[in-house]
Amino acid sequence: RQPSSGTAFTLTDWMSLKAMHAMHAQYLGVANGEWGSVVMVNGLNSREALAKLTHASTSVSGVQMIDRSGEISGLLKHYRSKMTAFLVVGYVLVGFALFYRYKKQAWRAMLPTIVAALASLSASAWLGEPVQLFTVLAHFLILGTGVDYGIFLLEHHTDPSAWLAVCLGAAST
């Protein structure tokens, strides 16, 4: 609808234009006599730019900066640090359990796990990949399967077919 001449062009008139239908999701409406809208910002390629924008938004009344990706990233970082601590505790507890069972031979049961974990971290570092939450979670699997392989090899140390089966299983894993 076209506003008649002599009348003010209002936000309602603007929102009713066909070209503005894509913008409706950014318009929050009126609450307590104040207009609200969402402005999506793309293309911030550095932390400095985000920090400048956040600082600038605090100087304008009624403007609130919401950084969803930053919040999610912070949450994943928190979980990564907690899970890393649990992983270290897991290694220590497994080491004690293996020492209780195998005494001086316990290192042999832990060796496949330690080699696999170091190989995984080395490959990630060589490729330039950071350690993320999912990397740490994968290391729980490495701990579990590696210790299983090590125990199996200690229990069947004289059986060459067991060595072949474990080595093929470890290589495919």
Side-chain angles (χ1 to χ4, degrees):
R1 127 185 124 96
Q2 289 283 5
S4 62
S5 62
T7 61
F9 187 70
T10 65
L11 181 62
T12 308
D13 295 329
W14 180 72
M15 292 294 285
S16 67
L17 295 175
K18 197 175 211 180
M20 294 300 119
H21 285 294
M23 303 290 284
H24 284 205
Q26 294 178 315
Y27 172 65
L28 302 177
V30 180
N32 299 327
E34 294 186 7
W35 297 92
S37 67
V38 175
V39 177
M40 308 285 261
V41 179
N42 292 324
L44 294 178
N45 296 327
S46 68
R47 292 180 190 248
E48 294 83 26
L50 181 62
K52 286 179 182 179
L53 183 63
T54 303
H55 179 69
S57 69
T58 58
S59 64
V60 179
S61 68
V63 173
Q64 181 180 2
M65 177 74 169
I66 300 172
D67 181 15
R68 289 285 182 222
S69 62
E71 291 172 6
I72 292 169
S73 179
L75 183 64
L76 290 176
K77 181 180 178 182
H78 170 76
Y79 284 142
R80 184 190 69 222
S81 66
K82 293 290 185 192
M83 295 307 289
T84 301
F86 287 141
L87 183 63
V88 170
V89 168
Y91 269 92
V92 170
L93 291 176
V94 167
F96 279 134
L98 291 173
F99 182 75
Y100 178 76
R101 169 71 172 95
Y102 296 108
K103 305 295 183 232
K104 292 182 180 179
Q105 299 297 317
W107 69 272
R108 291 180 182 219
M110 280 298 280
L111 188 62
T113 302
I114 293 169
V115 168
L118 291 176
S120 168
L121 290 173
S122 298
S124 294
W126 182 64
L127 293 170
E129 293 295 322
V131 175
Q132 300 173 357
L133 172 63
F134 302 105
T135 307
V136 175
L137 294 175
H139 277 260
F140 278 99
L141 296 173
I142 290 173
L143 174 62
T145 56
V147 169
D148 284 346
Y149 292 150
I151 290 171
F152 197 76
L153 290 176
L154 275 176
E155 295 291 333
H156 302 280
H157 63 279
T158 57
D159 184 5
S161 62
W163 278 84
L164 177 64
V166 169
C167 290
L168 288 175
S172 68
T173 301

